[in-house]
Amino acid sequence: MPAAAALLLLAAPLLAPQEADQSAPKGRATVYRVDLIETLDGDPIKNGFVIVRDGLIEKIGQALVLPEGARVRDLRGSGSTITPPLALSHANFLVRSSRGGGLNGRFRAVDSLWLEPEQLHELLELGVLVAGVDPPGDGVPGRSSVISTDGGTPAPEPLVEDLHLSFQMMGSTRSAKDLLRKAIADAEKAIEGEDKAREAWQKARKEWEEKQKAKAEEAKKSAEGGKDGAGGGKAAQDPPKPAEKGKDDGKKPEEQEPPKEFEAPKIDPNLMPVVEWLRKERVVQVSFDKPAAWLHWLDLLGDRDLAWEAVLALPRWGGFAGNFHEVKDSIAAAGVRVYLPASLPDLPYTRIASHPAAELHAAGVEIVLTPPRADLEGVRSLRLGLADLVREGLDRRTAIEAVTLRPAAAMGQEELVQALKPGAPATFILLDGDFLNPVAEVQLVLRDGKVLYDRAKEEEDK
Amino acid sequence: MALLELMLALAPAPAAAPPPLQDPPKEEVVEEKPAPEKAPAKEKEAPAEAAPAEASPYLAIVGGEIHTVGDGVIARGTVLCKDGRILKVGSKVRVPEGATVIDAAGMKVYPGLVAVNSSGIVQGRGDAVADDYDPFALNVDLGLAGGLTAVQSGGAVAKLVRHSIDDVVLAQADWVTLSYSTSSPRGRRELRDKLDRARDYLRQQRAFEAAKQAGEEDAVEPDKKGVDDRSMKLLQGQAVARFNANNTKDLLSVCELIEDYPMEAVIFGGQEAWTVAPQLSRSGARLVLTPRAKSWADEELNRPNGWSIENARILWQHGIEFAIVPGQSYISTGGIAGRDLLTLPMEVAFAIRGGLPQDAALRSITIDAARILGVADRVGSIEPGKDADLIVCDGDLFDYRSFVQWAVVNGDLAYDKQKSPYFAHIRPRPEPTPAEVIEAVIEGVQAQKDEGVTGEGAEGAEPEAEAAGSGGGGQR
């Protein structure tokens, strides 16, 4: 150990005040000392320090000179760990009141939030800073949203109200395909209708403008010489046809001017997100409960080049289908981001465990891991699930990234949950054990240097 | 088993292949000249050759005893498939480089089995079967393990395709189930009335069309009101009538009905069919039998009645076409062997026990079943041009000890027992010993010399394929 660090080690207990890190006043640094820092930016740092000042990570490393007047929080000895906070995609236990099946594109998950008291706080206690929620229901249930666990209850301020459109390829593939096929066909028809309307408007507008121009010229000419009479009369007779039916308000036919701005025909708000998807303006997230659903989705999608992500979902009844490896190559070839539960599901009707996360990762698929169960208990056992995956062959770093950086980026929160490095926001969690040790508890949750949760303090308050 | 003994008796030495067991016309099957495929394949498949990473379109089952069904048995031959179809069958078939090779030495190759009736293997009805198909479903895997590659369910004939949902539905089985039991005189009368109306309408319609053609302007188009569409379809040969009939009386009355109203008919049941075989034969009806389905004879009847284990044999002797199904239409690992579709050949074995020749027994769950379903042009036998739906068994298909080792559907290796979570542990397939591999290679080289094959064709082929393809080569 370098001399400076050794010195610091001796000095630390003397410097650390009891009420260490409550809202550091500007300029004053706080130092967190732990056994391991999973920076997710290069190798993990053993026996390391994170110096936080003004909401940012000032320094991070193994051997640091303690800044003057810094407060120190030293948790070494228990295997304590600092990592970026958890980002939870598909925290669907936070939403209720499913609308059943059908085309319900206009709904947003954030409008269906159903928060039990303390639920968000418990998520925070578990180290979760961001939670994605899907609209409940089958078919096309709506659009997903993202909330922050420190956004206040009962109505937390959403980070993203309208993230992705959700398609459910769950249960009967035939019903799902029938619905989606129709939705896509209707959306294509709507787009075609709008294109035609726009074309007609453009034409009408152009004609009208030309006629106005001709009229003006006529007027000018007649003003100049007043000889040429025929052309002027003709121009006045042909009023341009407006593109929009019934939109013009009672002007005389000759005066009718096509609207200056194009007014698109109305599209069913439930269909609109599908239209936007087909126009490449949004991403669709498709949930699958079995590998066959994957194949049927590809069949439905055909050769359309559109943005979508895949959720290998927990079926509502029964366990996660453990045979997604059957379509592993196809998933890899699709090149889409894949969400799947952090568990080792059995092959169907057997007690033979499979490891889709490791297989998909090895096939080059970007994986995002979700809780092994679709409830708060599932979030409590998320790190246990990760430990299982890592023990059975998934790379540790991949596993941790798959519940932190990757889901955050997938939810557009890459600024909020970042790899830990100097200059990055001081947003991280501190556990009293290894990240993959299910017994370890989150001690601190920091966001931009501000302590959102401090277990020691909460226990003291109790 | 007799077949195996016969084969052994005929085989002069293990290295030299035995002559064909039956059906001399087999000669035609192996007509292909050595390596005819090689050169054109190279030209045609130029991109594939250039990019070796791409999967070969070829799949070859080599070295097995091929029960072609349509064209006898090839003692040691090769089935070469390409793009989902059977390309070549014979003892001298060259295997192109890069082909997926299944070494079936010592095993038996059959067409994939066809179940005339099934439930729970594929979902949905009619057109919906394709959109509901789950190629990874347990029951599809079990079906393949049981040797099935095509099943009728919900009015559609579906292939048990794995890994994909393409080309699942072979055909829509347009069946009209008719009730014509002697126990319901009213139902019988109503059915006849319906058929009469349909027949009259069709007759009038034909007369009307003829009159129109002849230029008669006052010809009146017949009224279609009250005419049953399905009855018309039956009488026009656009649909098949399905009857359930077991006892002599019902069977005879079905014969009478289809004599009066000619239509294509399939009779399910037929437990007492053996008692009226001549009448059934004349009627042209086909049957779907379950050899072990029993109805006890009524001793007081002064005529043959009740079930008979010889039923299938007697019908076969009368030239009646039939398919065999087990007692239950579902598939399960929990049932009694031979009672459901997991062990269909075991039900058929009881017909063999009753005297049905083995080849006729095989037909009843392959080509004849396919014919009943109207898909015999695609499946049911191993012949060039047909769908590459094949199974490889480690023993005689009708032996209770035999397992399906591999199943191929649409040219894709859909099932491998060694990888099955349900069956791999039962008598695992022995890997070939190094000595066996060396022997196979030497045999292959010898075969090349014997056949005088030189150049690319000989070099390009896989050693196993060569070895297998050589079987019988020296004999010709």
Side-chain angles (χ1 to χ4, degrees), chain A residues 172-175 177-178 181 290-293 295-297 299 323 326-327 347-350 352, chain B residues 124-125 127-139 141 162-166 421-422:
Chain A
S172 159
T173 48
R174 180 178 49 81
S175 325
K177 271 174 110 173
D178 282 350
R181 213 177 259 146
K290 52 184 176 288
L295 295 182
H296 282 287
W297 163 250
D299 178 50
N323 55 343
E326 298 268 18
V327 288
L347 293 178
Y349 307 99
T350 71
I352 303 167
Chain B
R125 292 195 64 80
D127 291 336
V129 166
D131 275 348
D132 258 333
Y133 187 69
D134 183 349
F136 310 109
L138 167 71
N139 286 355
D141 211 21
R162 282 287 277 189
H163 314 122
S164 125
I165 52 166
D166 301 332
Y422 318 110

Side-chain angles (χ1 to χ4, degrees), chain A residues 106-183:
Chain A
R106 73 175 190 276
F107 293 105
R108 300 175 313 173
V110 75
D111 299 328
S112 301
L113 279 180
W114 189 286
L115 300 172
E116 305 285 346
E118 298 295 305
Q119 222 169 13
L120 285 186
H121 188 72
E122 177 157 5
L123 284 178
L124 198 62
E125 275 181 42
L126 292 165
V128 177
L129 201 55
V130 188
V133 281
D134 296 326
D138 282 322
V140 183
R143 293 162 284 156
S144 55
S145 312
V146 183
I147 58 167
S148 161
T149 50
D150 72 330
T153 38
E157 191 63 28
L159 293 168
V160 185
E161 288 183 353
D162 177 5
L163 186 66
H164 298 322
L165 178 63
S166 170
F167 283 178
Q168 302 287 311
M169 287 289 294
M170 310 278 278
S172 159
T173 48
R174 180 178 49 81
S175 325
K177 271 174 110 173
D178 282 350
L179 176 78
L180 294 178
R181 213 177 259 146
K182 187 174 180 302

Side-chain angles (χ1 to χ4, degrees), chain A residues 79-90:
Chain A
S80 56
T81 311
I82 283 177
T83 69
L86 299 176
L88 207 65
S89 61
H90 308 285

Side-chain angles (χ1 to χ4, degrees), chain B residues 17-281:
Chain B
L21 293 177
Q22 39 175 275
D23 289 13
K26 183 176 77 66
E27 299 279 350
E28 290 165 31
V29 179
V30 284
E31 268 301 284
E32 316 91 28
K33 290 169 208 118
E37 186 50 42
K38 198 66 206 170
K42 276 214 159 171
E43 280 163 23
K44 270 191 226 158
E45 306 300 318
E49 293 275 333
E54 246 175 63
S56 164
Y58 295 98
L59 178 139
I61 301 175
V62 298
E65 182 184 287
I66 303 169
H67 294 250
T68 65
V69 173
D71 215 353
V73 177
I74 301 165
R76 208 172 172 202
T78 295
V79 184
L80 181 64
C81 313
K82 188 190 173 194
D83 296 333
R85 295 291 173 98
I86 296 169
L87 190 66
K88 283 177 182 185
V89 186
S91 57
K92 278 192 193 172
V93 176
R94 289 275 155 212
V95 178
E97 198 175 351
T100 305
V101 175
I102 296 173
D103 179 6
M107 301 202 190
K108 291 168 195 279
V109 185
Y110 300 94
L113 308 184
V114 179
V116 172
N117 194 24
S118 79
S119 58
I121 299 178
V122 299
Q123 316 300 325
R125 292 195 64 80
D127 291 336
V129 166
D131 275 348
D132 258 333
Y133 187 69
D134 183 349
F136 310 109
L138 167 71
N139 286 355
V140 169
D141 211 21
L142 291 182
L144 292 165
L148 304 172
T149 57
V151 298
Q152 188 276 129
S153 177
V157 187
K159 289 273 196 93
L160 300 192
V161 176
R162 282 287 277 189
H163 314 122
S164 125
I165 52 166
D166 301 332
D167 304 321
V168 168
V169 175
L170 253 181
Q172 300 292 343
D174 207 354
W175 282 358
V176 178
T177 302
L178 297 180
S179 176
Y180 197 66
S181 167
T182 47
S183 62
S184 168
R186 190 176 157 196
R188 286 157 63 89
R189 200 172 53 243
E190 281 173 2
L191 177 61
R192 277 187 173 263
D193 282 351
K194 258 196 221 170
L195 291 167
D196 276 338
R197 276 198 298 276
R199 185 161 63 185
D200 286 349
Y201 172 79
L202 288 172
R203 221 176 257 156
Q204 288 163 13
Q205 180 69 19
R206 272 196 302 275
F208 168 70
E209 294 290 339
K212 229 169 58 176
Q213 288 258 305
E216 286 177 32
E217 280 175 13
D218 54 351
V220 182
E221 190 169 357
D223 186 6
K224 208 178 163 187
K225 203 178 162 196
V227 181
D228 178 39
D229 271 346
R230 299 195 310 162
S231 301
M232 284 208 299
K233 273 185 159 183
L234 287 172
L235 295 175
Q236 288 172 305
Q238 291 166 357
V240 178
R242 176 189 160 149
F243 296 92
N244 292 314
N246 275 310
N247 64 45
T248 306
K249 264 171 36 185
D250 282 354
L251 288 164
L252 280 179
S253 69
V254 171
C255 288
E256 279 166 21
L257 185 80
I258 56 182
E259 215 165 279
D260 291 349
Y261 305 90
M263 63 175 95
E264 212 176 315
V266 177
I267 303 172
F268 278 66
Q271 285 167 19
E272 292 186 352
W274 60 281
T275 63
V276 287
Q279 292 91 326
L280 282 167
S281 178

